[in-house]
Amino acid sequence: MIEMCEEKIDVQKVIDAAQAEDCGAVTVFLGTVRNHSRGKEIIRLEYDAYPEMAVKMIQKVVDEAKEKWDVRKAAVAHRTGILAIGEIAVAIAVATPHRQEGFEACKYIIDRLKQVVPIWKKEVAFDGETWIEEHA
Amino acid sequence: MIEMCEEKIDVQKVIDAAQAEDCGAVTVFLGTVRNHSRGKEIIRLEYDAYPEMAVKMIQKVVDEAKEKWDVRKAAVAHRTGILAIGEIAVAIAVATPHRQEGFEACKYIIDRLKQVVPIWKKEVAFDGETWIEEHA
Amino acid sequence: MDDIKTLNVKVKFFALGRELIGQGELQLQLPENNSVAGLIEKLKEEYPRFAQLNSYLVAVNMEYAGVDTELKDGDEVAIIPPVSGG
Amino acid sequence: MDDIKTLNVKVKFFALGRELIGQGELQLQLPENNSVAGLIEKLKEEYPRFAQLNSYLVAVNMEYAGVDTELKDGDEVAIIPPVSGG
């Protein structure tokens, strides 16, 4: 399951999509909207995306992770549009037989997603809006 | 939130308990019951625990993680009793400002939990039952 | 005398690019035998504000592509500012 | 002549230990000035099957404790086989 969604992400659904009976570990990463960034108080975030290419690139990143680690199932959902503080922007779940590779694979997927997937974040603060350019 | 529970773990509740508005990352680990182990097909697991001490030791492990990383909130739930294949035995969620420390802290908590928290797992296979002794 | 052949491409803009162009999608007509580089030149001519986007990649049909990539009629080109998902 | 003073401790068993002892909890009476080591001796005498538990730690009042740890009346002692949670 790889999904770009305009509605709130259903974390349980993402986790369920990554469950596998031959796996002992499901590792999950949730990226949430922080109330501050770069020393500023944040009001909300706005995500723009190229959804068709984003899905394709996320699939590519997941495939890379599956080549590197024994990932049996993976699910990724990324939100678009306007997000309030505390809301979930991205949810990633991977099922692996053992936990060590789960942490590594999950970290790889979020790191690569932030590098190559066509999604953009605008931070809206009291003194203005900024499109974020980061590969952090 | 640190909980030993006899009923199914509510993952969403564990995640909600670890949400913090000053954090951009929630890292979650779910330990699930695999359908095989040590080359055997598994029918079910049975967990025994010393619940009062387990809660105390999990708190200690969480405190250790908080000393090492900038963990703002953490929640841990561990199941006891009889678990079927695919069910969640343990759920750990940690909120951190940034994701790198989230993966490290979450991994630390599950690693230490498996070393020091008084919980025991019996694997029930077709040819018998085994109390597992592992610090893996 | 031959007709001058042309190719039509769809160009998509996102984030700051979308704001600079004032819309998320354009249809552009280019002379035949053109590349990503030619498209960029035409964009800069027709949309001077595009030059304010000082860092971006280009995708052709949803694959990242270099400036030498040849364009075909019907291609979907996207201007990809530095991404910041997650 | 003084009375011989005694101390009462609760002893808890888990996993294989619980199965070997046949129950999860015992009340044991020990002579005063006794330690974890003394309790273990008494367990081995009264429950010969306990010797089959070849690896364990001991907790006193929910803290891991060495064999020299002195016991007080009312202490809760737990025999902790190698753990395998998670």
Side-chain angles (χ1 to χ4, degrees):
Chain A
M1 165 195 168
I2 293 175
E3 238 177 46
M4 300 295 291
C5 46
E6 291 170 31
E7 304 301 319
K8 283 201 185 195
I9 292 174
D10 182 341
V11 174
Q12 190 64 56
K13 201 176 128 199
V14 176
I15 290 172
D16 289 347
Q19 283 258 17
E21 294 206 337
D22 55 356
C23 287
V26 179
T27 312
V28 183
F29 176 79
L30 306 176
T32 56
V33 178
R34 285 206 292 166
N35 60 6
H36 65 279
S37 175
R38 286 151 245 267
K40 281 184 188 177
E41 191 177 337
I42 299 300
I43 301 169
R44 64 171 185 274
L45 292 188
E46 295 179 17
Y47 280 92
D48 194 6
Y50 184 6
E52 304 83 0
M53 182 173 169
V55 166
K56 200 174 153 174
M57 292 302 296
I58 293 170
Q59 184 62 59
K60 204 170 209 168
V61 167
V62 166
D63 290 345
E64 287 169 12
K66 285 184 173 172
E67 271 172 39
K68 288 171 190 283
W69 295 280
D70 190 5
V71 173
R72 302 287 170 92
K73 271 193 178 178
V76 179
H78 201 297
R79 184 86 180 273
T80 56
I82 296 172
L83 275 77
I85 305 303
E87 288 197 289
I88 295 168
V90 61
I92 299 169
V94 302
T96 50
H98 303 287
R99 69 190 183 280
Q100 174 61 40
E101 54 199 353
F103 285 108
E104 291 174 8
C106 195
K107 181 170 185 308
Y108 180 87
I109 292 171
I110 182 62
D111 286 351
R112 289 287 290 157
L113 184 151
K114 284 173 175 270
Q115 288 168 350
V116 302
V117 177
I119 302 173
W120 299 268
K121 170 165 55 192
K122 183 159 74 173
E123 290 180 354
V124 180
F126 286 103
D127 63 351
E129 309 181 342
T130 318
W131 285 105
I132 303 306
E133 302 191 357
E134 64 174 347
H135 300 284
Chain B
M1 165 195 167
I2 293 174
E3 238 176 49
M4 300 295 291
C5 46
E6 291 170 30
E7 304 300 320
K8 283 201 186 195
I9 292 175
D10 183 340
V11 174
Q12 190 64 55
K13 202 176 127 199
V14 175
I15 290 172
D16 289 347
Q19 282 257 17
E21 294 206 337
D22 55 354
C23 287
V26 180
T27 312
V28 183
F29 177 79
L30 306 176
T32 56
V33 179
R34 284 207 290 167
N35 59 7
H36 65 280
S37 175
R38 286 150 246 268
K40 282 184 187 178
E41 192 177 338
I42 299 300
I43 301 170
R44 64 171 186 274
L45 292 187
E46 296 180 15
Y47 280 91
D48 194 6
Y50 184 7
E52 303 84 358
M53 182 174 168
V55 166
K56 200 174 154 175
M57 292 303 294
I58 293 171
Q59 184 63 59
K60 205 170 209 167
V61 167
V62 166
D63 291 344
E64 287 169 11
K66 284 184 175 174
E67 271 171 39
K68 288 171 190 282
W69 294 280
D70 190 4
V71 172
R72 301 287 170 91
K73 273 193 177 178
V76 179
H78 201 297
R79 184 87 180 273
T80 56
I82 297 172
L83 274 77
I85 305 302
E87 287 196 290
I88 296 169
V90 61
I92 299 170
V94 302
T96 50
H98 302 287
R99 68 188 184 282
Q100 174 61 42
E101 55 200 351
F103 285 108
E104 290 174 8
C106 195
K107 181 172 186 308
Y108 180 87
I109 292 172
I110 181 63
D111 285 351
R112 289 287 289 157
L113 184 151
K114 283 173 176 269
Q115 288 168 350
V116 301
V117 176
I119 302 173
W120 299 267
K121 170 167 51 193
K122 184 159 74 173
E123 289 180 353
V124 180
F126 285 103
D127 62 350
E129 309 181 342
T130 317
W131 285 106
I132 303 306
E133 303 192 358
E134 62 175 348
H135 300 284
Chain C
M1 182 180 111
D2 283 342
D3 290 337
I4 296 174
K5 287 189 183 162
T6 59
L7 54 86
N8 288 282
V9 297
K10 188 197 283 183
V11 190
K12 294 178 83 93
F13 301 91
F14 302 96
L16 183 57
R18 187 199 293 270
E19 292 180 358
L20 291 170
I21 297 292
Q23 52 196 307
E25 195 171 315
L26 294 175
Q27 291 288 344
L28 280 191
Q29 206 172 51
L30 296 169
E32 225 185 11
N33 297 323
N34 228 314
S35 67
V36 166
L39 171 72
I40 298 293
E41 279 316 300
K42 186 164 171 93
L43 274 177
K44 284 184 181 166
E45 279 167 35
E46 297 193 8
Y47 297 86
R49 295 188 69 204
F50 180 70
Q52 293 178 42
L53 192 67
N54 51 26
S55 174
Y56 55 87
L57 297 173
V58 175
V60 176
N61 300 326
M62 300 196 276
E63 296 277 356
Y64 288 111
V67 289
D68 298 333
T69 306
E70 292 248 328
L71 294 177
K72 303 180 309 295
D73 192 58
D75 277 350
E76 177 172 300
V77 179
I79 304 298
I80 312 277
V83 303
S84 53
Chain D
M1 179 180 114
D2 283 338
D3 288 339
I4 296 175
K5 288 188 182 162
T6 60
L7 54 88
N8 288 282
V9 295
K10 186 197 285 183
V11 191
K12 293 178 84 94
F13 301 92
F14 301 95
L16 182 58
R18 188 200 291 271
E19 290 179 358
L20 290 170
I21 296 292
Q23 54 197 306
E25 195 172 312
L26 292 176
Q27 290 288 343
L28 279 192
Q29 204 170 53
L30 296 169
E32 223 185 13
N33 298 324
N34 227 315
S35 66
V36 166
L39 172 72
I40 297 293
E41 279 315 300
K42 188 165 170 93
L43 274 177
K44 284 183 180 165
E45 279 168 34
E46 297 193 9
Y47 298 86
R49 294 188 68 205
F50 180 70
Q52 293 178 42
L53 191 67
N54 51 25
S55 174
Y56 55 87
L57 296 173
V58 175
V60 177
N61 301 325
M62 299 198 275
E63 295 277 356
Y64 288 110
V67 289
D68 296 334
T69 306
E70 292 248 328
L71 294 176
K72 303 180 310 295
D73 192 58
D75 277 350
E76 178 172 299
V77 179
I79 304 298
I80 312 276
V83 303
S84 52

